[in-house]
Amino acid sequence: MRKFLNRTSLCLVFLLPIAQSPAQHVDVDVSACFRMADVLSAMKHGKANAEVSAMLDSTLDTRPYKTMFRHYNRPFRPNHLPPAVFKRMILSLAYAGEYSAGENQRADQMLVQWTKFYDDFPKFLRNLEELKTTNLSALINEGVRFAQTWLPAGWNIPDFYFFIHPDGGSGGFAIDGAQGYDFFRLPRDSSDNIAWNEVVGIISHESHHLGLKESSPGPMSSSDSLAYDFLTLFVGEGTATKFVDNAPGGDVPLVDPARPAGGFAFGGKAVDSLWKVYTLKESDLFASMVETFERAYSGHMTEKQLEAETGSYWLGGLKGPAYFVGSEIFGAIVHALGKEGAFVAMQDPRRIFELYDRALKSNPELLGRCFVIPDSTVRHALALVPVQK
């Protein structure tokens, strides 16, 4: 079995900051891939459960996995993936009775990827070798540069921590100034090599998220604050999906026909099929958005209820309806009102309904089939104002 590089040399090679601009740096960390390779190798060699368990504890206590758990256990889905469950899922590859299918939906999904790479461990090692010889700095620079073109002036992608780790769930995510990428689900070409050009597209998507600024007009009443938070769902995922991924339209055409429809972060055939389903019920999805917004605005919804609905529906599954509805809203705005119109909506989510409806009126030939937001809902969104002291 291959002898792995010692961890000190890995830190020197992979944790050097990458200069993006005079004010920006990215710390790149792939050490979790090598640490987990040691764990799987020990399991393959028949090491005792207790010894491997201790190795796993040490690995899961590192920054990549701590960040990963924050991603999976966000406020709208607490305890989605408890660390102990993830650990037992990995141990179950070699030790019977550690984890049973059906215990945790996310762990069940991950187990498919972990089993594939555990059973074909030489493939895991080949991918490690490819990771070592790839110029990640150049890829990250390229992805960040494109993402920046779809952000308003003054919204600069900040310094961030970039890591690749064996995960099995999300292909990529951004949280707390970090971007995480699943070693198992890096896109691959027809020769089963990592398709780094597609990775650049995913980096662009996640970098766009990090460049978004949280804007608020000031302290609001509880109902106004809840309604405002709901609007922001459609900004982050909508703009990254339509502008960076170049998502195909339902009723709203592509933003850039010269680029691949859906780009590289879109999600492949599965998401393409889901988009077709969403397209068939686009009016219903928009009506649901209006209904949820009005419930929040009128005080007929609690924060916990909105969090539950967000996790199970709007952002749930492969790509929840918020991705599709948001991309349609911002696609319509940019087609009719240009980038500047889209940037205004990004900077003040209260105006997304107003600018969307204005776009439909400005270009009825292109956008005539789109759902029209009721005038009352447009007014309610614009009426989300700070509490007067």
Side-chain angles (χ1 to χ4, degrees):
M1 184 58 65
R2 176 186 182 285
K3 186 175 181 180
F4 296 105
L5 295 175
N6 67 64
R7 205 129 296 113
T8 302
S9 63
L10 282 176
C11 291
L12 290 173
V13 173
F14 294 114
L15 293 180
L16 287 174
I18 295 170
Q20 303 287 329
S21 69
Q24 184 189 64
H25 288 78
V26 179
D27 288 331
V28 181
D29 184 357
V30 297
S31 61
C33 299
F34 291 84
R35 294 183 69 112
M36 201 58 80
D38 290 344
V39 170
L40 297 184
S41 177
M43 294 165 71
K44 285 284 187 182
H45 280 79
K47 298 293 185 181
N49 188 327
E51 181 178 348
V52 175
S53 181
M55 293 175 67
L56 260 177
D57 286 339
S58 176
T59 299
L60 299 185
D61 194 43
T62 58
R63 185 176 181 185
Y65 282 106
K66 286 181 176 180
T67 306
M68 183 197 80
F69 289 124
R70 288 200 301 277
H71 161 64
Y72 284 118
N73 300 306
R74 295 175 190 256
F76 64 82
R77 57 181 184 196
N79 300 314
H80 180 69
L81 180 70
V85 171
F86 181 73
K87 174 186 173 181
R88 289 192 295 103
M89 179 273 294
I90 297 172
L91 289 173
S92 73
L93 296 169
Y95 309 109
E98 284 287 349
Y99 177 82
S100 300
E103 282 189 53
N104 180 282
Q105 185 177 11
R106 177 64 73 175
D108 287 349
Q109 172 200 358
M110 292 172 155
L111 185 57
V112 174
Q113 295 294 327
W114 283 86
T115 300
K116 181 170 70 174
F117 279 88
Y118 184 70
D119 290 346
D120 189 359
F121 194 48
K123 179 178 180 178
F124 188 111
L125 300 181
R126 287 195 303 273
N127 288 340
L128 279 184
E129 290 297 324
E130 190 173 351
L131 200 60
K132 284 165 51 183
T133 58
T134 298
N135 186 350
L136 288 174
S137 64
L139 299 177
I140 295 169
N141 276 323
E142 184 179 348
V144 168
R145 276 196 300 270
F146 181 73
Q148 188 67 61
T149 66
W150 282 104
L151 291 170
W155 285 23
N156 297 314
I157 296 166
D159 297 353
F160 61 89
Y161 170 65
F162 175 102
F163 65 98
I164 299 176
H165 66 303
D167 180 319
S170 297
F173 57 84
I175 186 172
D176 297 340
Q179 292 187 30
Y181 295 85
D182 181 10
F183 178 67
F184 293 150
R185 297 184 62 196
L186 293 174
R188 288 176 171 78
D189 60 23
S190 57
S191 300
D192 208 29
N193 297 315
I194 297 172
W196 290 109
N197 62 324
E198 297 188 26
V199 174
V200 170
I202 302 172
I203 292 170
S204 283
H205 180 105
E206 301 304 336
S207 295
H208 181 271
H209 283 321
L210 290 181
L212 294 173
K213 305 299 181 190
E214 291 188 11
S215 55
S216 173
M220 298 179 178
S221 68
S222 58
S223 58
D224 278 12
S225 179
L226 204 60
Y228 184 88
D229 288 346
F230 181 64
L231 291 176
T232 65
L233 288 183
F234 302 93
V235 177
E237 297 303 348
T239 57
T241 300
K242 195 68 176 182
F243 301 153
V244 180
D245 301 352
N246 200 35
D251 291 332
V252 181
L254 288 169
V255 167
D256 185 356
R259 292 169 51 214
F264 295 125
F266 191 57
K269 292 181 179 178
V271 175
D272 185 58
S273 297
L274 179 62
W275 233 242
K276 289 181 172 64
V277 172
Y278 285 157
T279 298
L280 293 174
K281 56 180 183 179
E282 181 159 345
S283 291
D284 292 337
L285 295 176
F286 268 78
S288 293
M289 174 188 66
V290 169
E291 191 267 339
T292 297
F293 172 82
E294 292 291 3
R295 278 193 293 135
Y297 176 79
S298 63
H300 293 147
M301 181 178 239
T302 66
E303 183 177 358
K304 287 190 183 240
Q305 287 172 330
L306 180 58
E307 285 183 352
E309 185 174 314
T310 297
S312 64
Y313 182 66
W314 291 109
L315 295 180
L318 187 59
K319 280 189 186 288
Y323 291 80
F324 177 81
V325 174
S327 70
E328 291 291 271
I329 289 172
F330 279 93
I333 293 172
V334 84
H335 272 297
L337 307 177
K339 267 189 178 184
E340 290 309 310
F343 289 165
V344 169
M346 291 167 69
Q347 291 168 311
D348 188 352
R350 295 173 300 176
R351 298 191 63 187
I352 64 174
F353 293 160
E354 172 209 359
L355 292 166
Y356 167 77
D357 273 5
R358 188 193 301 178
L360 304 192
K361 293 173 184 174
S362 299
N363 196 340
E365 184 176 346
L366 183 69
L367 305 169
R369 296 176 54 195
C370 295
F371 181 96
V372 178
I373 305 293
D375 288 343
S376 58
T377 301
V378 173
R379 290 195 303 271
H380 292 163
L382 293 173
L384 301 174
V385 296
V387 176
Q388 297 297 320
K389 293 185 179 180

